[in-house]
Amino acid sequence: MDPIAKSLKQRSLSAKIETRGRLLTQFCTLLIILLVLAIFGFIATKGIAIFVQDHGSLVDFFTKTTWAPDQTNIHHRPIIGALPMIVGSFAVTLLAVVLATPFSLAAAIFMTEISPKRGNKILQPVIELLVGIPSVVYGFIGLAVIVPAVQKLFGGSGFGILAGTLVLLVMILPTITSMAVDALKAVPRHYREASLALGATRWQTIYKVVLRAAAPGLMTAIIFGMSRAFGEALAVQMVIGNAALMPSSLASPATTLTSVLTMNMGNTVMGTSANNALWTLALLLLIMSLLFNIVIKYLAKRGEL
Amino acid sequence: MKRFPKLFLLGVVLLTVTGCSQTKQQTVTAVGSSALQPLVEAAGEQFSKQNSQAYINVQGGGSGTGLSQVQQQAVQIGNSDVFAEQKKGIQASNMVDHRVCVVAVVPIVNKKVGVDNLTLQQLQAIFMGKIDNWQAVGGPNLAITLVNRAQGSGTRTIFEQQVMQGRPSKKSSEQDSSGMVRQIVKNTPGAISYVAWPYLTKETPALKINGVKLSVASVTNNTWPIWSYEHMYTTKNANNETKQLIDYILSDNFQKHEVRQMHYIPIKQMHYQQDATGKTTRIKVRD
């Protein structure tokens, strides 16, 4: 055959490379999907073992306040009242987010609307620095500074939800701020221009136009901060006191799902009810983070401008 | 883009040179009890110096981890503060128990408490929550803050067996390491907790129990009531290096020096023995 016709009928080199590249990326994507499914399957089977294998009660898990999974009650069911840690987890998370949001929004507005130049030069590096600090350092500062301060102001041991909230506040502040900055930057320039042209002041423009337009993005930032706060283990564990008690005040020792999980994993034996109960906590954490992700996806969809 | 193949090649060369050089080195991994960890680390270091064929890898993780890892044969040695029989889910009959030394557990308090002696009954009442002010035991008018170790931790198991004797302890703050316990007791007015002797420092005063001060002599003749063996569990078919390491720790020289220096009690000096139920009986000292 004519060499030119042959070369034209053959698949070109770049087409081959493209096919190969596509196969490779598809394979990697598949691998990641399988990995996620495997993790879900593993934690789910381990997490329901306490109910299926050890006959624990699902109602007890969410309503009772005594946590002693290696012992059984009079009905020969393991004692798995997880309410104190569920309440503890939600309390520190919500309080931290409520306290962090105004500061984060203010910083983000300053960086994008009021003084973008100084914001980018000073605030941006500071926020990036805060993100990079390992959580054990936050925990240690909490232990050395915040706990004694809470102790002086409110009495008691100083360990508790308040100390946990303050540590988390500092940890999620940069997360929410940087995502809020992105959301505000995504508001098209002509929105602002139109508002100003109509005679609105800068503050009116920020409040009535920019913040409204960016609302879904800002909500995403807040939920993202929540999911980070909910999953944080080490720093909170160091300052919350780890007492499986229903929190009675902000300055009394409490506990969270993550701190019970990390503290006790090493002291239990695989396959026992004490170990299975911890996997149930892990499953609950996984489900919560999944929920947070779904909410974020939903908000992001609504927020497309 | 031209640089990448070269970098890749360099990486491959480095991996080959460092990772794949074949030696006859035997690795012995010991996992578990953080109370015993410093001693095994010291022993491992000295043992590797004498025996260049052996590489001793020591990790913490808690007594439960040690026992379950050795049961699964994932590691050669499982360090534990408690008898394997005491831990649910462990088949004690499949393992060999090497008792290498004794560790005493000592109650510690915050400096401002000012109490230096408690009876065993008072200690029990405090941890049950029946006594919640230092006034009741001759101290200042100060609320007692309990700090416990995590459920199932070795040190807590020893304390519960010898002090609480089956009675439930009050729900309180729990910590997962002796270092954290010490730090919290140091900083919190009215705090009381307990640590293994090797973790005792001057920052947190140690209490006498029934008027007895913690010392090697008071532990060996059982007047100090809170003590337990440090176990190194192995599987039945342990390899040579593992056996040699345990023999090294049990050797007279090591027991006389390192064990004493690090505030453990040499196993041979004990005048009493303890079984898995916590019962103590008098024995004859072998030497």
Side-chain angles (χ1 to χ4, degrees):
Chain A
M1 204 195 286
D2 184 355
I4 295 171
K6 195 178 167 192
S7 76
L8 280 175
K9 276 183 182 165
Q10 253 184 356
R11 297 188 63 212
S12 74
L13 186 65
S14 42
K16 272 185 199 158
I17 288 174
E18 198 179 307
T19 317
R20 248 181 273 161
R22 209 179 56 217
L23 279 175
L24 192 69
T25 46
Q26 276 171 347
F27 174 72
C28 291
T29 319
L30 197 72
L31 209 65
I32 290 169
I33 292 170
L34 281 178
L35 198 66
V36 172
L37 286 179
I39 290 172
F40 258 91
F42 181 75
I43 295 181
T45 47
K46 286 234 148 211
I48 58 169
I50 192 85
F51 305 115
V52 177
Q53 195 181 310
D54 304 303
H55 309 292
S57 150
L58 190 63
V59 179
D60 280 5
F61 185 78
F62 287 106
T63 57
K64 294 277 169 66
T65 57
T66 309
W67 179 258
D70 55 336
Q71 292 159 26
T72 50
N73 61 13
I74 42 167
H75 307 295
H76 300 289
R77 284 158 173 242
I79 303 169
I80 45 167
L83 191 61
M85 43 203 104
I86 296 173
V87 170
S89 271
F90 276 99
V92 287
T93 304
L94 292 175
L95 280 174
V97 169
V98 165
L99 289 177
T101 303
F103 289 105
S104 296
L105 288 190
I109 291 170
F110 179 82
M111 283 168 71
T112 52
E113 308 296 322
I114 296 172
S115 176
K117 221 179 191 178
R118 241 187 295 168
N120 284 340
K121 260 199 182 141
I122 303 168
L123 270 174
Q124 193 85 38
V126 170
I127 285 164
E128 275 159 17
L129 202 71
L130 280 177
V131 176
I133 295 173
S135 61
V136 64
V137 175
Y138 282 113
F140 196 72
I141 293 171
L143 200 62
V145 181
I146 293 174
V147 169
V150 173
Q151 198 182 92
K152 277 220 178 87
L153 291 173
F154 298 93
S157 63
F159 290 91
I161 289 179
L162 187 59
T165 301
L166 293 176
V167 168
L168 276 182
L169 163 73
V170 184
M171 293 183 73
I172 63 173
L173 206 64
T175 314
I176 302 182
T177 308
S178 56
M179 286 190 69
V181 167
D182 291 341
L184 292 178
K185 274 187 182 160
V187 176
R189 199 180 145 83
H190 58 256
Y191 279 33
R192 296 184 183 89
E193 283 164 356
S195 168
L196 291 170
L198 283 171
T201 61
R202 182 154 77 165
W203 176 243
Q204 282 168 331
T205 307
I206 292 170
Y207 185 69
K208 299 214 159 149
V209 177
V210 180
L211 280 185
R212 299 291 151 93
L218 296 176
M219 280 304 290
T220 311
I222 293 166
I223 304 286
F224 204 83
M226 269 177 81
S227 107
R228 222 198 123 167
F230 201 78
E232 170 52 40
L234 192 60
V236 176
Q237 189 201 316
M238 286 170 85
V239 298
I240 199 158
N242 309 312
L245 289 163
M246 279 306 280
S248 56
S249 77
L250 288 183
S252 67
T255 192
T256 61
L257 291 163
T258 47
S259 70
V260 171
L261 197 57
T262 50
M263 264 209 338
N264 293 321
M265 220 28 154
N267 294 315
T268 58
V269 179
M270 276 282 196
T272 57
S273 61
N275 188 265
N276 289 341
L278 293 179
W279 282 104
T280 310
L281 298 184
L283 180 62
L284 185 61
L285 279 169
L286 190 67
I287 291 172
M288 282 310 298
S289 72
L290 192 68
L291 274 181
F292 284 131
N293 267 309
I294 291 170
V295 173
I296 289 170
K297 277 267 139 51
Y298 172 75
L299 286 173
K301 213 181 221 171
R302 261 189 45 191
E304 274 161 15
L305 288 167
Chain B
M1 285 302 280
K2 261 190 175 173
R3 246 194 233 150
F4 283 105
K6 272 185 196 164
L7 271 179
F8 180 72
L9 198 70
L10 186 71
V12 171
V13 170
L14 273 176
L15 278 180
T16 333
V17 170
T18 51
C20 298
S21 53
Q22 284 285 324
T23 51
K24 273 193 262 166
Q25 228 182 25
Q26 281 282 338
T27 308
V28 178
T29 309
V31 175
S33 159
S34 51
L36 185 58
Q37 194 181 352
L39 187 74
V40 182
E41 271 169 6
E45 220 167 87
Q46 292 182 12
F47 181 69
S48 319
K49 264 182 209 157
Q50 291 179 11
N51 186 346
S52 57
Q53 296 295 308
Y55 176 71
I56 315 292
N57 181 9
V58 185
Q59 289 165 27
S63 300
T65 306
L67 287 169
S68 62
Q69 294 265 50
V70 77
Q71 172 161 283
Q72 291 164 10
Q73 308 212 347
V75 297
Q76 283 73 39
I77 300 174
N79 298 331
S80 171
D81 307 333
V82 297
F83 282 90
E85 287 88 344
Q86 285 175 275
K87 203 89 194 170
K88 276 184 194 169
I90 296 289
Q91 295 292 323
S93 52
N94 294 342
M95 286 181 240
V96 188
D97 177 10
H98 304 272
R99 295 172 202 173
V100 292
C101 62
V102 164
V103 71
V105 173
V106 54
I108 54 170
V109 291
N110 183 264
K111 263 188 182 158
K112 286 178 188 152
V113 167
V115 173
D116 71 339
N117 180 38
L118 286 175
T119 66
L120 206 56
Q121 281 72 33
Q122 283 172 334
L123 197 59
Q124 196 185 60
I126 287 173
F127 274 88
M128 282 174 77
K130 280 185 180 168
I131 297 177
D132 58 4
N133 195 302
W134 285 107
Q135 244 173 352
V137 290
N141 181 12
L142 185 66
I144 295 177
T145 304
L146 292 182
V147 182
N148 239 323
R149 288 289 307 279
Q151 278 181 21
S153 97
T155 312
R156 176 156 171 184
T157 309
I158 300 169
F159 188 82
E160 291 200 320
Q161 191 171 51
Q162 309 295 336
V163 179
M164 306 310 287
Q165 292 162 358
R167 289 172 186 81
S169 45
K170 190 188 168 195
K171 278 192 212 167
S172 68
S173 180
E174 289 180 4
Q175 297 302 329
D176 73 337
S177 73
S178 301
M180 275 295 279
V181 163
R182 206 170 53 196
Q183 170 91 1
I184 290 168
V185 171
K186 186 188 144 200
N187 290 335
T188 312
I192 182 169
S193 188
Y194 48 85
V195 289
W197 194 357
Y199 285 95
L200 184 66
T201 60
K202 291 215 169 74
E203 292 171 334
T204 50
L207 292 179
K208 289 181 198 161
I209 297 178
N210 300 329
V212 177
K213 198 168 182 277
L214 175 66
S215 69
V216 173
S218 66
V219 178
T220 55
N221 61 28
N222 200 35
T223 48
W224 183 265
I226 326 170
W227 59 270
S228 149
Y229 296 112
E230 289 295 354
H231 308 260
M232 291 175 82
Y233 280 96
T234 60
T235 49
K236 281 186 171 154
N237 49 359
N239 65 18
N240 240 348
E241 273 71 17
T242 308
K243 284 179 194 154
Q244 279 172 13
L245 175 69
I246 288 171
D247 285 342
Y248 183 81
I249 293 176
L250 284 170
S251 70
D252 285 342
N253 190 29
F254 189 80
Q255 293 267 326
K256 245 180 224 161
H257 295 105
E258 276 73 13
V259 170
R260 287 290 300 273
Q261 261 166 29
M262 298 174 86
H263 295 297
Y264 300 89
I265 292 112
I267 192 90
K268 283 181 188 159
Q269 284 188 11
M270 291 301 294
H271 294 260
Y272 281 79
Q273 70 174 5
Q274 207 174 62
D275 64 12
T277 60
K279 223 176 85 183
T280 44
T281 42
R282 202 181 159 78
I283 48 164
K284 268 192 178 166
V285 181
R286 272 158 283 186
D287 55 9

